[in-house]
Amino acid sequence: MLFNQAEIDQRYGYRALKRLFDIVASLVGLVLLSPLFLVVAILIKIDDPVGSVFYSQTRLGLKQHKFKMYKFRSMCT
């Protein structure tokens, strides 16, 4: 299947617009949910004052690219 230049440009434009929307929506979500994240972090610290609030794990992404993922430590030890 062959594409002409207009279709290729339109596809790249769509991807750029989608990426911009993803970044803006993520930032808005983080700002709106940050009070909840703060409460969760405080509750975790109250439950276990010695341990860390976050858990980190190395995972494999696209093309086996390693990245570090962080999340709240939610299981009791």
Side-chain angles (χ1 to χ4, degrees):
M1 178 189 258
L2 297 175
F3 295 103
N4 62 25
Q5 190 61 37
E7 290 173 339
I8 292 171
D9 291 343
Q10 183 180 15
R11 223 172 27 182
Y12 286 125
Y14 170 77
R15 286 183 184 169
L17 189 62
K18 183 180 180 311
R19 178 71 173 156
L20 179 65
F21 174 77
D22 289 345
I23 291 170
V24 170
S26 297
L27 288 173
V28 169
L30 282 173
V31 169
L32 291 177
L33 292 172
S34 61
L36 177 64
F37 294 157
L38 180 63
V39 169
V40 169
I42 291 170
L43 291 173
I44 291 172
K45 203 59 173 167
I46 289 172
D47 185 47
D48 184 10
V50 178
S52 164
V53 173
F54 295 104
Y55 167 76
S56 67
Q57 184 180 41
T58 302
R59 291 194 175 186
L60 293 177
L62 185 65
K63 297 181 182 177
Q64 303 300 311
H65 177 27
K66 291 182 181 180
F67 68 95
K68 199 158 211 166
M69 182 194 75
Y70 297 93
K71 61 184 189 176
F72 285 115
R73 190 177 53 107
S74 59
M75 295 186 66
C76 298
T77 54

